[in-house]
Amino acid sequence: MRTPPEMPLGLPFTVDTWGPSRRHRCHRFITHAHTDHIAGAWAGPGDTVYATQLTMRLALERYPQLERVKFVEMEVGKRWVVDDPGGAFSVTAYDANHCAGAVMLLFEGPFGTILHTGDCRLTSHCVQKLLLKLEANLCRLDTVYLDLTFPKFLEFPSKESAIQQVIACISKHSRAPFIYLGCQRLGQEDILKEVSRSFRSKIYVDKGLYLDCFNTLSHTVPEIITDDPTGRFQVLPVRSEELNKIAAEKLEEARASDQPEPLFIRPSAWRYSNAYAQNRKPSLTEAEQDGNVWRVCFSNHSSSNELEQALQLLQPQWVISTTPPNFASELSYVRRRYLSHTTQGHAPSSICFRTTSRGKEDYEYFIRGIPSRGQRSPRVVQIEETWVDHRTFGLSMGVNGYTISKHVINMMGKAIISEQRDAHFLKHVLHSELGKMLQGPSPCRENISNYLSEPNQGFKLENMDAVLVPLLNSKTWYLVVANFWKRRFEVLSPMGCTDELITQAQSIVCNFREDFHSAYPQLHSVKIKDMDITFHTISNSDNESDSGIFIMKALDLYDGEKHIFFNDSDAEGLREHLALYLLHHKYNEMPHRHVQGLVGP
Ligand SMILES: [Zn+2]
């Protein structure tokens, strides 16, 4: 069970995520009722939850606390306009071809055009409908939040073909007195429906043993359920191992009493996705016997061919995976697009980072209050020993074009580290002083090895997914990342990569490798010396004083996968957004003494 990662804070809505940081938002969308998408569902008194009627009924069964919430019923093909203080936006629901009630959502608003697929099986039919809509609105797709459950599995049989394979397998076993269907999840109701129709028979689920499944089927396909336990067709909603066990027992029983053997069928895709890794070649055209159970490849998620075709047609600027671990960069569509960014020089849209009008007032009030030179400048943000004063912070975050101070970059790094406790992707940000030391010759760098080694860190570096090093090259901030998860170094530069920057970054990577190795000589999980180095341009801005702002946000957004890119027009909104982020940070120890009164409560 893998819950989708949280969405960017700049968006006025959430989809399938229920994290604590969502407190400012009130539009919560549920794409479908699989437990990993509604796990922990809750909503505040002012919130609205949007879902199809069936999804909402299924969600309520697990989370009755949603009962009290304002609920908007979505219908496939219908467009809703949602009022929001940050600007109205619209949302249209499309069939996701995933499970009963599942939808994909197309959002259009001040943030651009965003498609959230939830979980989906993208057939050309689904994609055509979306295309028609995009063409009718003359709009380009900015971002797709994409279900990448099986990004490496080239091809699955269509759902219709898989269902026919189940029917054919049953027909071949006409003497079997009982047919046990190992259908465990919501999304397999179409199989049951078609089996029931083809064999003109209802299907039994033991309500006493499998109440959840019984309830789900009573919502999705009530017409095919029977409470007659002698029925030939029965659902066994159990895990694969348990199905094998039950099958072994029942087959043994039949053989012992010389009766015809029952048939066990499990339609699923997981066994097939593993087969790929194990170099097996299972049949995709007919049921295949595996021990006591017959298997059919049935997938509610897209194959990689389907994903590539859909992206080719939809042409989104950005692709973000909703399924950790994040495989977007495995897609050839994404690779091609990514590589072309620097060469084509076109400007992809990105998320709107503007805050609400209330936030804007707070921000302007804070900037107006900057103490003048010589005046006492109180600390405004402090987390443990890292702090920054009003003047330094205000001048960095104002729109007058100052280079961001290293103290502000360090403050941002500290704020991010302090939030790591419950993060999916663990990252550590090095203090800018250490970044500077990394540029020096080896005797000056002993401290770094000491710093990197465990006792001083309070965390295990070998458990980190990435270490981020903010660096200043004359007046331009850039970032060197040791991405342990992807096993490579990445250089992210808002201003492109000049020869000078490339040389500097290469020498830093070289020193980092050496210092890391002396700090962790025994560590075998990370072969730091084998890690390659890649260069990326992360904005189309040519204003070097904005580079620090983009680096601050990049520290926040970095997840080892996502393609970060900023437009020069993002800088202004980001200054507001990041100033307020730090001032209102939950670990800021200063808010009561100085910020309150400057920035409203
Ligand atoms: Zn699902």
Side-chain angles (χ1 to χ4, degrees):
M1 221 44 86
R2 295 176 299 190
T3 41
E6 295 293 331
M7 297 181 65
L9 281 164
L11 293 174
F13 56 83
T14 63
V15 183
D16 295 347
T17 57
W18 308 90
S21 57
R22 301 289 81 94
R23 61 190 181 277
H24 298 305
R25 298 191 185 150
C26 54
H27 309 291
R28 298 172 178 276
F29 291 83
I30 311 178
T31 59
H32 67 292
H34 274 150
T35 42
D36 42 343
H37 292 251
I38 52 171
W42 71 282
D47 294 2
T48 308
V49 173
Y50 302 74
T52 58
Q53 196 197 46
L54 179 61
T55 297
M56 197 59 191
R57 268 195 276 141
L58 293 166
L60 277 172
E61 220 161 68
R62 269 171 206 277
Y63 297 97
Q65 64 266 37
L66 290 174
E67 193 99 52
R68 295 186 298 272
V69 167
K70 188 177 163 211
F71 166 59
V72 173
E73 183 187 323
M74 305 204 70
E75 274 172 52
V76 168
K78 236 184 172 174
R79 179 169 178 266
W80 286 93
V81 176
V82 179
D83 269 331
D84 184 80
F89 63 92
S90 78
V91 56
T92 316
Y94 293 87
D95 180 15
N97 189 28
H98 177 64
C99 67
V103 288
M104 303 190 276
L105 301 167
L106 183 72
F107 297 92
E108 295 163 274
F111 41 76
T113 304
I114 298 178
L115 174 68
H116 196 297
T117 65
D119 281 350
C120 66
R121 173 90 192 257
L122 288 168
T123 60
S124 53
H125 181 71
C126 304
V127 178
Q128 282 306 334
K129 288 207 158 165
L130 279 163
L131 267 183
L132 286 176
K133 162 84 174 175
L134 291 169
E135 279 163 13
N137 290 14
L138 292 175
C139 67
R140 190 184 60 177
L141 197 53
D142 294 314
T143 306
V144 174
Y145 286 86
L146 188 61
D147 166 19
L148 289 176
T149 302
F150 297 123
K152 292 183 177 175
F153 201 98
L154 281 183
E155 209 144 359
F156 290 128
S158 70
K159 283 173 150 187
E160 294 72 22
S161 150
I163 292 173
Q164 286 316 313
Q165 293 174 35
V166 173
I167 307 266
C169 182
I170 298 171
S171 300
K172 269 193 211 155
H173 292 81
S174 55
R175 292 191 61 233
F178 291 102
I179 313 291
Y180 295 101
L181 296 154
C183 293
Q184 204 189 345
R185 295 200 84 189
L186 170 67
Q188 296 185 310
E189 55 281 341
D190 286 348
I191 305 174
L192 303 178
K193 215 162 136 182
E194 197 49 32
V195 166
S196 168
R197 200 188 64 82
S198 300
F199 297 95
R200 296 204 179 87
S201 173
K202 291 205 175 193
I203 298 180
Y204 173 71
V205 192
D206 189 330
K207 190 177 173 181
L209 285 177
Y210 311 118
L211 183 63
D212 261 5
C213 173
F214 180 86
N215 285 340
T216 303
L217 293 175
S218 334
H219 284 298
T220 54
V221 280
E223 69 282 6
I224 66 161
I225 301 302
T226 172
D227 51 9
D228 173 12
T230 63
R232 184 177 180 225
F233 293 90
Q234 312 220 349
V235 184
L236 281 178
V238 294
R239 289 172 164 277
S240 193
E241 313 84 69
E242 205 182 336
L243 188 68
N244 276 328
K245 219 176 102 207
I246 298 175
E249 284 165 13
K250 291 213 187 267
L251 287 166
E252 183 61 44
E253 240 170 65
R255 281 166 204 156
S257 55
D258 214 11
Q259 294 292 312
E261 294 179 1
L263 174 66
F264 291 81
I265 308 181
R266 185 175 180 83
S268 145
W270 289 100
R271 171 177 175 272
Y272 293 80
S273 63
N274 290 339
Y276 176 84
Q278 296 159 4
N279 258 332
R280 282 189 289 126
K281 274 223 167 112
S283 167
L284 300 179
T285 51
E286 58 179 359
E288 206 172 42
Q289 194 169 12
D290 177 21
N292 296 320
V293 177
W294 287 78
R295 309 282 187 151
V296 167
C297 180
F298 178 87
S299 179
N300 284 323
H301 301 275
S302 318
S303 67
S304 75
N305 278 349
E306 286 165 332
L307 292 167
E308 297 283 4
Q309 274 162 21
L311 291 173
Q312 208 49 50
L313 289 166
L314 295 170
Q315 291 283 318
Q317 297 286 337
W318 300 106
V319 181
I320 295 170
S321 167
T322 57
T323 39
N326 211 315
F327 280 119
S329 66
E330 305 283 329
L331 296 168
S332 52
Y333 173 87
V334 174
R335 281 169 190 259
R336 278 200 306 275
R337 184 129 214 134
Y338 192 29
L339 288 173
S340 68
H341 268 320
T342 40
T343 47
Q344 281 181 11
H346 67 107
S349 302
S350 50
I351 307 299
C352 174
F353 294 108
R354 288 196 177 281
T355 43
T356 58
S357 53
R358 173 66 195 278
K360 197 170 182 66
E361 269 169 38
D362 283 355
Y363 168 77
E364 280 166 1
Y365 193 54
F366 175 75
I367 295 295
R368 275 202 306 275
I370 295 175
S372 41
R373 192 188 288 272
Q375 242 183 339
R376 206 180 72 86
S377 176
R379 296 179 186 189
V380 282
V381 188
Q382 175 158 4
I383 301 174
E384 291 168 8
E385 273 95 62
T386 311
W387 54 268
V388 65
D389 67 275
H390 192 161
R391 186 174 159 81
T392 309
F393 189 42
L395 289 180
S396 285
M397 304 312 283
V399 284
N400 304 328
Y402 287 93
T403 298
I404 302 287
S405 150
K406 65 180 182 190
H407 301 291
V408 175
I409 296 279
N410 290 333
M411 199 64 247
M412 186 71 195
K414 185 71 189 178
I416 285 165
I417 294 169
S418 70
E419 283 178 0
Q420 290 295 290
R421 239 162 293 163
D422 15 71
H424 286 290
F425 183 87
L426 291 177
K427 51 193 176 187
H428 184 73
V429 184
L430 281 197
H431 195 277
S432 67
E433 281 308 307
L434 290 161
K436 211 166 161 189
M437 268 192 241
L438 274 172
Q439 300 174 37
S442 107
C444 313
R445 302 196 327 260
E446 245 171 53
N447 285 342
I448 301 179
S449 293
N450 291 339
Y451 177 83
L452 287 176
S453 56
E454 222 177 290
N456 299 321
Q457 288 292 297
F459 66 83
K460 274 191 147 190
L461 207 69
E462 60 184 304
N463 292 343
M464 283 287 129
D465 294 304
V467 174
L468 292 80
V469 191
L471 295 151
L472 197 55
N473 177 266
S474 76
K475 281 184 174 170
T476 306
W477 282 101
Y478 70 104
L479 198 58
V480 169
V481 184
N483 182 343
F484 296 127
W485 195 71
K486 276 277 174 186
R487 306 221 154 89
R488 65 177 184 222
F489 285 93
E490 289 156 13
V491 179
L492 311 183
S493 167
M495 309 286 298
C497 300
T498 57
D499 286 347
E500 193 197 336
L501 188 141
I502 290 174
T503 314
Q504 192 189 71
Q506 276 169 335
S507 110
I508 281 163
V509 166
C510 186
N511 293 345
F512 186 95
R513 279 198 190 114
E514 224 169 84
D515 298 342
F516 184 89
H517 187 71
S518 35
Y520 292 92
Q522 315 291 353
L523 189 62
H524 298 299
S525 57
V526 179
K527 287 208 172 64
I528 192 120
K529 304 229 163 178
D530 297 342
M531 279 170 42
D532 206 358
I533 174 169
T534 56
F535 291 87
H536 311 273
T537 300
I538 61 163
S539 90
N540 60 0
S541 167
D542 50 13
N543 182 353
E544 56 186 16
S545 64
D546 285 340
S547 62
I549 281 291
F550 295 141
I551 288 304
M552 284 171 77
K553 192 61 194 172
L555 292 174
D556 176 27
L557 287 177
Y558 187 83
D559 66 359
E561 275 297 347
K562 196 160 41 205
H563 307 287
I564 303 165
F565 195 92
F566 303 99
N567 281 324
D568 52 0
S569 57
D570 290 334
E572 202 185 320
L574 271 174
R575 284 176 188 274
E576 252 172 70
H577 162 85
L578 291 170
L580 294 172
Y581 164 77
L582 286 176
L583 287 168
H584 293 315
H585 195 275
K586 63 178 167 183
Y587 297 118
N588 180 11
E589 294 157 28
M590 288 295 126
H592 300 299
R593 259 182 290 162
H594 301 294
V595 180
Q596 231 171 37
L598 284 174
V599 176

